[in-house]
């Protein structure tokens, strides 16, 4: 909760008559803010307990007591965490804001001491003892009040935040308690000192405390004014020196006596300008800035801004390029040296080289590599640059939420500079680098703009010939840059950006592919980094397979590389210890039997699925950010009131799929020979194991429908068949995503047959080599085709699609 101060009102709107104060009121805790009687103040409320206190007050007399927190940083507060003297307030207005907060306008009525706290339904209440004003000495009170007003009259002109009208307002007041509250409310003091004024027993005590604080504040403000005057005098002297220097410079110019040193910077810029081949627009802009610089004092801040601008614009590559490698065989050799597999992106790069060799000049392609972490998307960008003989630059877009990160800041801002696109082009030093935009699916949006919208111009071949950076203020040609972007999922990439890029899906690696990558790339790399001779240390095939299957669970190879590195460290330590003890160090082979010593107990046990037919259990295929997985969907029926219970952290879409499957089955209860009254006598429970992991998406629709039908008809579902597909209320099976990852998961678990939607045939035919090897695949259009395959001995089942139609 944060407080918004508003002007004091001596005569607040509404009923001036004091309402009766109940013996107990809800407690409203506030931070860094002290309210006084006769004040009207808006407060922003976000805490649940405070909202409940407001609701309780609104249901009664609209009264509550405001108490300040002793520690403003605390979120959950108890009675002991609050000051026990506060102000009884009346709620004037309650307004719900679009951001979920509530704005409450309160009017201070009377001081009160609180005791006997009691917790209520979600909020705190306290006993109320109003503090009655007592005037012990009218003469002393009058003197103290006049003294405080006199000091306040001095204080207001010194404090720029207070309007002069406050002095006239306080002088027109007659009641001492109101004068004291008014003065205290407008003092710029820490909340602890204001609380001390609030807790004073009498107006006399309040005036004495206020006078003390006013005298202290006046002294501080007078010192501030004195320091400000000294600074102003220094600035005046600087301006005087500046004008004299300008006059001297003008005189020298008239006499022809200007020194070479004063023109050194400008002559250097002129020389750079002659050496750099700038477009006409940029040349005109530089000439304009040079003319401004000539008219400026060399040490002025404006001259520094102009110099920085000229340094940027003259350091950019406007015409310099690297010569592309047109030897396709050599380029393919380089790509294969750095990465195993990744056939599709490699072919696309080689196609670009072939076309470039024929047409000599073409726009750079814009490729988006989408795949799970660790499959080599980022490192592939470096390999492409090496294969093409181009410079390589990379920026990470993860977490970027400011459009200026892409387009730069305008020169009107202090410390402004170009965006990261132009900065990277300067770093590359050529017009045609390979430019990697990493994690393009992880950009954010806030009040500073949408960086993805700024990227539309960068990644559009029709527009990036004239990219506009706010700092440069001239167009820059990005058309010869080869842009490669990376993402983990397509869902996080805006549709407009997807439309401008050629998206290439990178599936996770199969076990055999990981083995080849480890053998050809990871093991030699780690042996070299750890100072181990490949002739003396080696990894057996069985050891690498054990690391892949028992110590890692990923689509890429990052965790695999870490475990190989850990094994190398342990081996290196063992060999050094033997050398220290002057023992003979021979050849060392890391076998599967040594892994427990080197890496510890295996983290994963890749047990095969139980392939036996079971009632109410169906095997589904799922996609996860780290690859495919298997879901065993379980259904149980119980006696009780009709209800569908879903557990296992299922998202909204997955829950809707379960309901759609159940509705379809109920609509065909007669054709399925189901007792129609069964749905009114049984509670249905659907559970998806690994309940700690959130699951969502429509692809489990046909699996849940199959498990439901199995439980309702008491027929077992085959355990050696897995399925994926979305179901509709008509029983149609719709296509889903992540086909490659799901098929690989089925292969890992020993599944023999899989069921895929008929509309996913294009994705199946475009799968990488090795994916789906040894699997029997059934493509279906309707759920009845799934049931014919899934139920043991049910091949003579009626055609449910025909029955439904």
């Amino acid at each position: 909760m944060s407080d918004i101060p508003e002007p004091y009102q001596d005569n607040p709107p509404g009923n001036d008559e004091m309402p009766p104060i109940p013996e107990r009121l809800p407690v409203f805790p506030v931070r860094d803010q002290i309210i006084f009687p006769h004040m009207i103040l808006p407060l922003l409320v976000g805490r649940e307990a405070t909202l409940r206190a407001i609701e309780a007050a609104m249901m009664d007399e609209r009264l509550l007591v405001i108490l300040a927190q002793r520690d403003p940083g605390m979120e959950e507060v108890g009675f002991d965490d609050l000051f026990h003297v506060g102000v009884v307030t009346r709620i004037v207005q309650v307004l719900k804001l679009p951001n979920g907060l509530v704005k409450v306008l309160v009017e201070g009525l009377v001081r009160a001491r609180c005791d006997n706290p009691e917790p209520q339904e979600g909020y705190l209440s306290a006993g109320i003892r109003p503090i009655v004003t007592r005037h012990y000495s009218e003469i002393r009170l009058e003197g103290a009040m006049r003294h405080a007003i006199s000091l306040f009259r001095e204080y207001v002109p010194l404090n720029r935040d207070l309007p002069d009208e406050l002095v006239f307002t306080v002088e027109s007041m007659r009641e001492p308690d109101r004068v004291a509250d008014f003065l205290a409310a407008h003092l710029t003091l820490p909340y602890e000192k204001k609380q001390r004024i609030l807790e004073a027993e009498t107006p006399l005590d309040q005036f004495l405390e206020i006078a003390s604080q006013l005298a202290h504040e006046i002294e501080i403000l007078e010192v501030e004014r004195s320091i400000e005057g000294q600074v102003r005098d220094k600035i005046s002297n600087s301006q005087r020196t500046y004008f004299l220097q300008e006059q001297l410079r003008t005189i020298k110019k008239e006499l022809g006596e200007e020194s070479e040193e004063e023109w050194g910077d400008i002559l250097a810029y002129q020389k750079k300008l002659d050496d750099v081949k700038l477009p006409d627009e940029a040349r005109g802009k530089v000439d304009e800035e040079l003319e401004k610089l000539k008219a400026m004092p060399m040490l002025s801040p404006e001259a520094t801004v102009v110099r920085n601008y000229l340094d940027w614009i003259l350091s950019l590559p406007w015409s310099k390029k690297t010569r592309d490698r047109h030897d396709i065989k050599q380029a393919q050799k380089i790509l294969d040296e750095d990465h195993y597999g990744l056939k599709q992106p490699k072919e696309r790069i080689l196609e670009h080289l072939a076309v470039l060799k024929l047409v000599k000049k073409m726009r750079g392609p814009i490729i988006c590599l989408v795949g799970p972490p660790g499959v080599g998307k980022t490192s592939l960008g470096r390999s492409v640059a090496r294969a093409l003989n181009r410079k390589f630059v990379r920026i990470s877009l993860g977490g970027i939420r400011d459009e200026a990160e892409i387009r730069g800041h305008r020169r009107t801002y202090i410390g402004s500079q170009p965006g990261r696109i132009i900065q990277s082009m300067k770093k590359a030093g050529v017009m045609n680098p390979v430019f990697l935009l990493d994690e393009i699916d992880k950009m954010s949006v806030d009040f500073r703009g949408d960086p993805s919208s700024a990227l539309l111009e960068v990644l559009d071949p029709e527009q990036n010939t004239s990219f506009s950076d706010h700092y440069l203020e001239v167009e820059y040609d990005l058309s010869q840059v080869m842009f490669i972007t990376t993402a983990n999922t397509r869902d996080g990439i805006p549709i407009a950006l997807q439309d401008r890029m050629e998206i290439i899906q990178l599936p996770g690696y199969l076990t055999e592919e990981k083995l080849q990558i480890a053998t050809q790339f990871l093991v030699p790399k780690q042996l070299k980094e750890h100072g181990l001779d490949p002739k003396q240390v080696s990894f057996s095939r069985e050891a690498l397979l054990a690391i892949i299957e028992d110590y890692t669970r990923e689509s890429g190879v990052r965790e695999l590389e870490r475990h190989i590195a850990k094994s190398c460290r342990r081996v290196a330590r063992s060999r050094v210890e033997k050398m220290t003890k002057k023992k003979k160090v021979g050849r060392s082979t890391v076998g599967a039997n040594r892994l427990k010593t080197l890496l510890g107990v295996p983290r994963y046990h890749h047990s095969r699925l139980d392939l036996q037919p079971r009632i109410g259990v169906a095997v589904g295929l799922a996609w996860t950010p780290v690859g495919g997985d298997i879901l065993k969907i379980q259904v149980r029926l119980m006696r009780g009131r009709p209800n569908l219970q879903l557990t296992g952290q299922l998202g909204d879409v997955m829950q809707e799929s379960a309901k759609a499957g159940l509705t379809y089955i109920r609509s065909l209860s007669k054709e399925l020979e189901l007792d129609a009254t069964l749905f009114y006598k049984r509670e249905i429970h659907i559970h998806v194991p690994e309940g700690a992991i959130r699951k969502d998406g429509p692809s489990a629709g046909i699996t849940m429908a199959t498990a439901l039908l199995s439980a309702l008809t008491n027929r077992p579902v085959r355990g050696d068949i897995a399925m994926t597909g979305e179901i509709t209320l008509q029983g149609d099976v719709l296509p889903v995503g992540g086909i490659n990852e799901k098929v690989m998961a089925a292969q890992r678990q020993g599944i023999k047959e899989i069921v895929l939607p008929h509309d996913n045939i294009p994705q199946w035919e475009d799968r990488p080599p090795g994916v789906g090897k040894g699997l029997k695949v059934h493509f279906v259009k309707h759920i009845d085709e799934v049931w014919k395959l899934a139920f043991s001995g049910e091949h003579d089942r009626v055609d449910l699609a025909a029955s439904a139609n």
Side-chain angles (χ1 to χ4, degrees), residues 110-124:
V110 64
R111 290 181 184 78
R113 191 175 300 278
C114 300
D115 54 18
N116 299 327
E118 289 184 5
Q120 303 294 332
E121 295 182 2
Y123 67 94
L124 186 69

Short mmCIF file of all heavy atoms in Angstrom, two decimals, residues 110-124:
data_model
loop_
_atom_site.label_atom_id
_atom_site.label_comp_id
_atom_site.label_asym_id
_atom_site.label_seq_id
_atom_site.Cartn_x
_atom_site.Cartn_y
_atom_site.Cartn_z
N VAL A 110 -10.83 12.02 14.93
CA VAL A 110 -10.37 12.26 16.29
C VAL A 110 -9.22 11.31 16.60
O VAL A 110 -9.16 10.19 16.09
CB VAL A 110 -11.53 12.07 17.30
CG1 VAL A 110 -12.02 10.63 17.32
CG2 VAL A 110 -11.12 12.51 18.69
N ARG A 111 -8.25 11.77 17.44
CA ARG A 111 -7.20 10.88 17.91
C ARG A 111 -7.82 9.80 18.80
O ARG A 111 -8.82 10.02 19.46
CB ARG A 111 -6.17 11.64 18.73
CG ARG A 111 -5.30 12.58 17.95
CD ARG A 111 -4.30 13.25 18.93
NE ARG A 111 -3.51 14.24 18.25
CZ ARG A 111 -3.93 15.46 17.94
NH1 ARG A 111 -5.16 15.82 18.27
NH2 ARG A 111 -3.16 16.30 17.31
N ALA A 112 -7.12 8.65 18.84
CA ALA A 112 -7.62 7.57 19.69
C ALA A 112 -6.45 6.68 20.09
O ALA A 112 -5.50 6.49 19.33
CB ALA A 112 -8.68 6.75 18.96
N ARG A 113 -6.55 6.14 21.30
CA ARG A 113 -5.58 5.15 21.77
C ARG A 113 -6.23 3.77 21.63
O ARG A 113 -7.40 3.59 21.98
CB ARG A 113 -5.20 5.43 23.22
CG ARG A 113 -4.01 4.61 23.72
CD ARG A 113 -3.61 5.03 25.12
NE ARG A 113 -3.23 6.43 25.16
CZ ARG A 113 -2.03 6.89 24.82
NH1 ARG A 113 -1.11 6.04 24.39
NH2 ARG A 113 -1.76 8.18 24.88
N CYS A 114 -5.47 2.81 21.11
CA CYS A 114 -6.03 1.49 20.81
C CYS A 114 -5.46 0.44 21.76
O CYS A 114 -4.28 0.48 22.14
CB CYS A 114 -5.71 1.09 19.36
SG CYS A 114 -6.38 2.25 18.15
N ASP A 115 -6.30 -0.51 22.12
CA ASP A 115 -5.88 -1.63 22.97
C ASP A 115 -6.79 -2.82 22.70
O ASP A 115 -7.68 -2.77 21.83
CB ASP A 115 -5.90 -1.24 24.45
CG ASP A 115 -7.25 -0.67 24.89
OD1 ASP A 115 -8.26 -0.88 24.17
OD2 ASP A 115 -7.31 0.00 25.94
N ASN A 116 -6.56 -3.91 23.41
CA ASN A 116 -7.37 -5.13 23.29
C ASN A 116 -7.58 -5.56 21.83
O ASN A 116 -8.70 -5.63 21.34
CB ASN A 116 -8.74 -4.93 23.96
CG ASN A 116 -8.62 -4.63 25.44
OD1 ASN A 116 -7.72 -5.14 26.10
ND2 ASN A 116 -9.50 -3.78 25.96
N PRO A 117 -6.49 -5.86 21.12
CA PRO A 117 -6.66 -6.30 19.71
C PRO A 117 -7.33 -7.66 19.63
O PRO A 117 -7.12 -8.53 20.47
CB PRO A 117 -5.21 -6.36 19.20
CG PRO A 117 -4.40 -6.62 20.43
CD PRO A 117 -5.07 -5.89 21.55
N GLU A 118 -8.15 -7.83 18.62
CA GLU A 118 -8.80 -9.12 18.37
C GLU A 118 -8.78 -9.40 16.87
O GLU A 118 -9.18 -8.56 16.07
CB GLU A 118 -10.26 -9.10 18.85
CG GLU A 118 -10.44 -9.09 20.34
CD GLU A 118 -11.92 -9.17 20.74
OE1 GLU A 118 -12.77 -9.33 19.81
OE2 GLU A 118 -12.22 -9.05 21.94
N PRO A 119 -8.31 -10.60 16.49
CA PRO A 119 -8.37 -10.96 15.07
C PRO A 119 -9.81 -11.27 14.65
O PRO A 119 -10.53 -11.98 15.35
CB PRO A 119 -7.47 -12.21 14.98
CG PRO A 119 -7.46 -12.77 16.36
CD PRO A 119 -7.64 -11.63 17.32
N GLN A 120 -10.22 -10.72 13.52
CA GLN A 120 -11.55 -10.99 12.97
C GLN A 120 -11.41 -11.87 11.74
O GLN A 120 -10.37 -12.51 11.55
CB GLN A 120 -12.23 -9.65 12.63
CG GLN A 120 -12.34 -8.69 13.80
CD GLN A 120 -13.25 -9.20 14.92
OE1 GLN A 120 -14.18 -9.95 14.67
NE2 GLN A 120 -12.96 -8.79 16.15
N GLU A 121 -12.39 -11.89 10.88
CA GLU A 121 -12.35 -12.73 9.67
C GLU A 121 -11.44 -12.08 8.62
O GLU A 121 -11.88 -11.39 7.73
CB GLU A 121 -13.76 -12.90 9.11
CG GLU A 121 -14.67 -13.67 10.03
CD GLU A 121 -16.06 -13.86 9.41
OE1 GLU A 121 -16.24 -13.43 8.27
OE2 GLU A 121 -16.93 -14.44 10.08
N GLY A 122 -10.10 -12.33 8.76
CA GLY A 122 -9.15 -11.84 7.78
C GLY A 122 -8.60 -10.47 8.08
O GLY A 122 -7.82 -9.94 7.29
N TYR A 123 -8.98 -9.81 9.18
CA TYR A 123 -8.43 -8.50 9.51
C TYR A 123 -8.33 -8.37 11.03
O TYR A 123 -8.72 -9.28 11.78
CB TYR A 123 -9.30 -7.37 8.92
CG TYR A 123 -10.68 -7.26 9.53
CD1 TYR A 123 -10.93 -6.39 10.59
CD2 TYR A 123 -11.74 -8.02 9.04
CE1 TYR A 123 -12.20 -6.28 11.16
CE2 TYR A 123 -13.02 -7.92 9.58
CZ TYR A 123 -13.24 -7.05 10.65
OH TYR A 123 -14.48 -6.96 11.21
N LEU A 124 -7.81 -7.21 11.50
CA LEU A 124 -7.59 -6.98 12.92
C LEU A 124 -8.50 -5.86 13.39
O LEU A 124 -8.68 -4.86 12.70
CB LEU A 124 -6.12 -6.60 13.15
CG LEU A 124 -5.67 -6.44 14.60
CD1 LEU A 124 -5.66 -7.79 15.30
CD2 LEU A 124 -4.26 -5.83 14.63
#
